[in-house]
Amino acid sequence: MKFLAVIAGKIIILLSRLFKAGGGSALPGLVALRIDPRLIAKITSKLKHGTIVITGTNGKTTTAKYAAEILRESGYKVVHNRTGSNLVRGIASALIEQSTIFGRTRGDIGLFEVDEATMPNAIPQLKPKIVLVTNLFRDQLDRYGELDTTARMIGSSIAPLQGAMVLLNADDPLVAWLARDVNERSRVAFFGLDEARYISTSRASMDSKDCIICGSELQFDRRFYGHLGLYSCPNCDFKRPPLDFEAHNIYLHGVKNSSVTLRGSDKSLDVALGLSGTYNVYNSLAAYALVSTLDVDERNISMALTNSDAAFGRMERFVVNGKETYLLLIKNPIGLTQIAETLSTDSEARNFMLVLNDNFADGTDISWIWDADISALPRHSNFIYTTGIRAGDMALRFKYEGFETGKIVLVETIDDAFEQALSRTGDGETLYVLATYTGMLHIRNYLTRKGFVEGFWKEVA
């Protein structure tokens, strides 16, 4: 069965890329798992160094990319679902692509980002030796429900693990609380920020603001964004746990880069990142914590983090017709809020396009756009194009936020909107394209068809 499943998957990958019908990051796995439902377990059980799982609302793809590049720099052969296709079909597709026709993997370690709701199905098959949880925010309520439901799914998934290392974001109260689900045969370590320079004042997306034990409102000595911060309960002993890995000495240099000092138990590392934003500092810290448990050489960590560019569709940079273009994934309130705040740090950011779709992979409930704080987006913009299936909803959101309606342009088709926005972007200026997941894939496929970018399968992850 495994042989037939892998053959079928490889044929679909080949046809998908031959006819430029996507990259084959989901359908091959979907079909292969119909043929052999145990395919993931059969392939990953042969990985010499086992598997690593990264889950959480935001930051999975970038954290995984950072970690993959560090591991490769250290000599590992990494099998990785690098496109962010993180349902079981995406994991299976990545395994098929990176295996022989007989299902023998070409790697020696598996690194997989896993959708939160997929954890109960994926963990028993992957049997990871390391699990990392980035954060938990409200996201795709039609799929996940409220946050406590998502936390229970993750908690029940990690509870049976034996001898695993579980890395948790201490700055997120609900994520830190997951430590209680880890049994005595596994270990827990916490990571978080130790920083006073970048403190959030926006109260948007404070989704976990009450004590999990007694229900009292938590007190935050500082918040880095959303509900991530240094918290304690005024009525019981619940508080942020001590940090095993921390980031401090943070400097955000506009939209495009930053620097940070990462610190473990007895080591400290100064790193220049090619990405900006507090959320990317968290991603680099999470990757640092993850690879530190594998005793990776710090020189390899520094080199990989410094040289790493953006992950697939996550502040990814292209040059199209001589004009700089950034593609940024948006999918929930805190993600859009953080991108708006990051863009606000660049006085030259003036040209924007937003793609809002409501396909299954985007989340069919798009009410989250009203919970995002977009007030930080620059008011001196040249234009704001809205497009996609729910372009009208996005245009309405900007109107009610008080943006100048004369600058909001609604175009139904994504290709037309992109071409118009790019043509109005001046020489030396930058176009920022913010898109939900399928919109991001559409833009990337468009750029591939036009020859401005290679298909992701031709790129080095």
Side-chain angles (χ1 to χ4, degrees):
M1 296 295 282
K2 184 177 77 170
F3 175 72
L4 292 177
V6 172
I7 287 292
K10 284 188 173 293
I11 290 172
I12 296 171
I13 291 173
L14 178 65
L15 293 176
S16 297
R17 296 174 182 177
L18 184 63
F19 294 102
K20 299 185 177 179
S25 62
L27 183 60
L30 180 65
V31 173
L33 289 172
R34 294 280 177 85
I35 299 171
D36 186 350
R38 296 288 300 164
L39 182 66
I40 292 175
K42 289 177 180 177
I43 295 179
T44 56
S45 65
K46 304 299 182 184
L47 289 165
K48 178 181 177 182
H49 299 294
T51 65
I52 298 167
V53 163
I54 298 172
T55 191
T57 306
N58 292 323
K60 297 185 290 292
T61 304
T62 301
T63 299
K65 186 172 191 295
Y66 277 145
E69 295 190 0
I70 295 168
L71 291 174
R72 288 195 181 96
E73 193 71 37
S74 304
Y76 287 91
K77 297 176 182 177
V78 184
V79 179
H80 172 207
N81 54 338
R82 62 186 185 274
T83 66
S85 183
N86 55 28
L87 305 180
V88 288
R89 65 188 67 168
I91 297 168
S93 296
L95 288 167
I96 292 167
E97 181 192 19
Q98 296 166 70
S99 296
T100 68
I101 58 172
F102 300 105
R104 297 193 189 99
T105 176
R106 297 189 180 94
D108 57 17
I109 191 168
L111 175 62
F112 302 104
E113 65 162 285
V114 177
D115 171 86
E116 304 92 287
T118 301
M119 287 286 283
N121 189 8
I123 290 292
Q125 298 189 63
L126 293 171
K127 293 183 170 55
K129 65 178 184 179
I130 302 173
V131 175
L132 185 145
V133 186
T134 57
N135 51 61
L136 288 174
F137 286 93
R138 288 198 303 147
D139 184 23
Q140 299 188 35
L141 294 178
D142 53 309
R143 290 186 59 223
Y144 300 124
E146 291 295 341
L147 274 186
D148 55 349
T149 303
T150 308
R152 279 198 298 273
M153 286 191 287
I154 296 175
S156 64
S157 302
I158 61 178
L161 293 175
Q162 303 288 322
M165 167 60 80
V166 179
L167 294 161
L168 301 173
N169 186 341
D171 295 346
D172 188 320
L174 197 52
V175 172
W177 185 245
L178 289 172
R180 67 177 180 147
D181 293 312
V182 180
N183 69 52
E184 67 278 4
R185 295 187 178 181
S186 294
R187 296 172 292 156
V188 175
F190 294 99
F191 61 90
L193 302 193
D194 179 18
E195 179 62 58
R197 185 175 297 107
Y198 297 101
I199 304 301
S200 176
T201 56
S202 171
R203 294 186 64 81
S205 300
M206 287 192 66
D207 298 332
S208 293
K209 62 181 180 181
D210 296 328
C211 177
I212 296 161
I213 297 175
C214 70
S216 300
E217 184 170 357
L218 294 172
Q219 292 180 345
F220 284 84
D221 291 342
R222 66 187 68 156
R223 285 188 303 108
F224 306 115
Y225 70 84
H227 55 254
L228 304 188
L230 183 54
Y231 56 85
S232 62
C233 176
N235 289 324
C236 69
D237 61 356
F238 182 64
K239 61 182 179 181
R240 186 180 81 164
L243 301 178
D244 299 288
F245 302 95
E246 62 185 45
H248 68 113
N249 198 28
I250 298 168
Y251 289 92
L252 305 179
H253 308 300
V255 175
K256 299 170 184 175
N257 55 69
S258 58
S259 60
V260 60
T261 299
L262 305 172
R263 189 159 56 200
S265 57
D266 58 354
K267 297 177 181 177
S268 183
L269 186 65
D270 296 323
V271 178
L273 301 173
L275 300 173
S276 188
T278 304
Y279 53 99
N280 280 318
V281 171
Y282 268 111
N283 296 335
S284 67
L285 172 63
Y288 174 74
L290 191 156
V291 299
S292 293
T293 66
L294 297 173
D295 199 25
V296 169
D297 191 302
E298 298 245 326
R299 289 171 296 183
N300 293 333
I301 300 175
S302 178
M303 185 177 300
L305 289 177
T306 299
N307 295 329
S308 180
D309 52 12
F312 189 80
R314 277 73 172 175
M315 203 172 274
E316 200 173 14
R317 178 182 178 275
F318 308 97
V319 176
V320 185
N321 293 339
K323 297 174 182 178
E324 185 178 53
T325 302
Y326 278 86
L327 182 57
L328 304 96
L329 175 69
I330 55 172
K331 61 174 188 170
N332 50 42
I334 190 62
L336 179 52
T337 301
Q338 276 295 288
I339 286 174
E341 290 185 353
T342 302
L343 290 173
S344 73
T345 63
D346 186 352
S347 61
E348 299 300 317
R350 296 171 180 271
N351 307 312
F352 305 105
M353 170 177 156
L354 287 100
V355 187
L356 181 62
N357 282 346
D358 62 355
N359 295 311
F360 176 77
D362 305 293
T364 56
D365 180 356
I366 53 93
S367 63
W368 61 268
I369 64 174
W370 296 93
D371 294 327
D373 184 356
I374 60 173
S375 61
L377 270 178
R379 301 291 172 139
H380 58 266
S381 61
N382 293 328
F383 55 78
I384 302 171
Y385 275 82
T386 69
T387 186
I389 298 169
R390 303 299 291 268
D393 295 84
M394 200 75 240
L396 193 65
R397 178 70 183 88
F398 276 102
K399 177 182 177 181
Y400 277 90
E401 191 63 39
F403 283 81
E404 192 176 332
T405 55
K407 293 182 178 179
I408 303 170
V409 185
L410 193 158
V411 177
E412 289 188 359
T413 62
I414 297 173
D415 292 0
D416 289 344
F418 181 76
E419 289 168 4
Q420 290 181 33
L422 190 69
S423 70
R424 291 182 60 184
T425 299
D427 294 337
E429 295 181 346
T430 301
L431 173 63
Y432 294 93
V433 180
L434 286 61
T436 54
Y437 187 72
T438 63
M440 180 271 289
L441 292 180
H442 185 108
I443 291 288
R444 226 180 175 285
N445 288 338
Y446 168 86
L447 294 174
T448 301
R449 289 198 310 273
K450 295 290 185 180
F452 294 114
V453 60
E454 294 274 22
F456 71 85
W457 59 91
K458 295 180 181 177
E459 300 175 352
V460 176

